Amino acid sequence: MESVYRRSAGTARGEARRQELLERVVEDLAAHGLVDFSLRRAARAAGTTHKVLLYHFAGVDDLLVQAVDRLRERRIDTGLAAAAAGPGTLAARVEALWPVLTDPRFGHRVLEQSTGLAMYDPTRYAQFGREATERYLPALLSLCPPDWSAARKAEVAEMMLATLRGLLLDRVTGGDEEGTAAGLRALLRALEREERA
């Protein structure tokens, strides 16, 4: 539902306040997930009222989308830094990325839950799935060896995205750490074979 309170702050101070509120909501989401997320819960987390949030955001969906996007951005930036710090093979970079993808500080459950929302209510939440793909694919492409063709990078990045997404969802819904670890090892072996090809 769109806000009846929303006004554009239009100032640096207003934008700073909006970012501060968003950051508090992001921390709450990372800690507690999407279950029972509401404007009132977000207001409690931000230490303000729902009317103040509606002044700065277009509604609960706008706030939720921005908070999920902020978590995803953190996860990708931290993951790419971890991958860049590791050994040079693609498999090693993906292996270094995995702990970041599963780290609770980056709202791992929230990001997987948002994928579920995109499937459950695509009319309302389709952008969660679309934006995840739009953000993760370039990151995964950047991990591929620079001498590969654009087509080969695209194929391998799509495979990595689909496999990692599936492993993360399985980890959240099934809780089978051993099975997920086995799936990750299989992905790493596939990447090693791809690099040798």
Side-chain angles (χ1 to χ4, degrees):
M1 186 171 128
E2 292 300 309
S3 164
V4 294
Y5 304 105
R6 182 163 169 75
R7 296 173 292 198
S8 174
T11 66
R13 184 176 176 194
E15 180 58 20
R17 176 66 173 146
R18 194 179 78 77
Q19 292 300 321
E20 176 189 349
L21 294 169
L22 179 60
E23 196 60 34
R24 290 179 184 173
V25 172
V26 165
E27 294 305 322
D28 176 74
L29 272 180
H32 304 291
L34 290 178
V35 177
D36 300 326
F37 182 80
S38 68
L39 195 58
R40 294 200 187 278
R41 175 182 142 191
R44 279 194 307 276
T48 189
T49 67
H50 73 283
K51 289 183 180 183
V52 169
L53 288 180
L54 289 174
Y55 177 86
H56 291 281
F57 300 92
V60 69
D61 286 351
D62 177 44
L63 177 59
L64 183 59
V65 166
Q66 289 190 46
V68 168
D69 190 54
R70 179 71 53 90
L71 279 171
R72 186 179 296 117
E73 184 179 287
R74 279 188 198 167
R75 187 192 224 183
I76 290 171
D77 291 347
T78 307
L80 287 178
T89 68
L90 177 57
R93 288 193 291 269
V94 171
E95 188 172 20
L97 173 66
W98 181 255
V100 175
L101 296 178
T102 58
D103 189 328
R105 292 176 298 167
F106 303 106
H108 69 294
R109 288 192 176 275
V110 173
L111 296 169
E112 279 66 78
Q113 288 168 346
S114 70
T115 301
L117 279 178
M119 292 185 289
Y120 173 74
D121 190 349
T123 304
R124 187 173 177 187
Y125 296 114
Q127 65 198 78
F128 281 146
R130 185 176 58 252
E131 287 177 4
T133 299
E134 288 170 359
R135 294 291 181 104
Y136 282 112
L137 266 181
L140 294 172
L141 282 166
S142 76
L143 299 181
C144 292
D147 59 332
W148 282 5
S149 70
R152 186 177 182 194
K153 287 180 185 178
E155 290 170 357
V156 173
E158 288 283 0
M159 177 189 73
M160 288 189 291
L161 178 61
T163 306
L164 291 170
R165 182 181 278 162
L167 290 172
L168 290 166
L169 286 172
D170 187 56
R171 186 174 180 272
V172 170
T173 59
D176 180 7
E177 291 285 339
E178 197 173 301
T180 303
L184 178 64
R185 288 192 301 271
L187 171 63
L188 298 177
R189 287 193 303 272
L191 294 176
E192 287 167 356
R193 287 191 299 273
E194 185 67 33
E195 284 190 279
R196 287 194 302 266

